[in-house]
Amino acid sequence: QAMHNAISVLSRKVDNLVLTLKGCRAAYYKELSSLREQLHHQSLAIQMGKEYTVRDTTIFDAAEFDTRSAQELERKVQEATIEIEGRLVRSQDEVK
């Protein structure tokens, strides 16, 4: 039963990550397409001797897709620090 619960939780996490990745990819490609289009319009304007002002296009914002909270990141840093300190102490004990 515990194994089924674990599999269920992991499946939901994977599904959520897939949706996040799809949204991230879509926003990235929209912004990339917009920038390419602006470059094309700029080159046409230059060929015609006109001036072209590039629009500030920001569709992709990586922060939108970062689902980790600051508290979670801090907790992970603390856990990693404790683990590294433990390894350091053990390696120093081995040297003695």
Side-chain angles (χ1 to χ4, degrees):
Q1 182 65 23
M3 183 68 90
H4 289 289
N5 289 340
I7 290 171
S8 176
V9 168
L10 290 175
S11 293
R12 278 195 304 273
K13 285 186 177 188
V14 167
D15 290 344
N16 288 336
L17 288 173
V18 166
L19 290 175
T20 300
L21 182 59
K22 283 181 180 179
C24 182
R25 187 181 299 130
Y28 175 78
Y29 281 122
K30 277 183 185 178
E31 184 169 331
L32 188 60
S33 295
S34 174
L35 292 171
R36 284 182 177 163
E37 183 179 338
Q38 287 189 56
L39 284 174
H40 176 69
H41 287 291
Q42 183 183 34
S43 68
L44 290 177
I46 289 171
Q47 287 175 1
M48 297 175 159
K50 296 181 179 179
E51 196 172 307
Y52 181 81
T53 305
V54 177
R55 295 184 321 265
D56 181 22
T57 304
T58 305
I59 299 169
F60 175 75
D61 182 9
E64 282 184 35
F65 302 102
D66 189 3
T67 58
R68 298 169 293 187
S69 68
Q71 292 171 340
E72 182 182 356
L73 289 174
E74 181 66 29
R75 182 183 54 79
K76 287 188 179 205
V77 167
Q78 287 176 349
E79 289 173 358
T81 303
I82 290 169
E83 181 184 340
I84 290 170
E85 287 173 347
R87 287 182 186 178
L88 179 62
V89 168
R90 285 191 300 274
S91 66
Q92 287 174 344
D93 289 344
E94 289 175 5
V95 171
K96 290 179 184 178

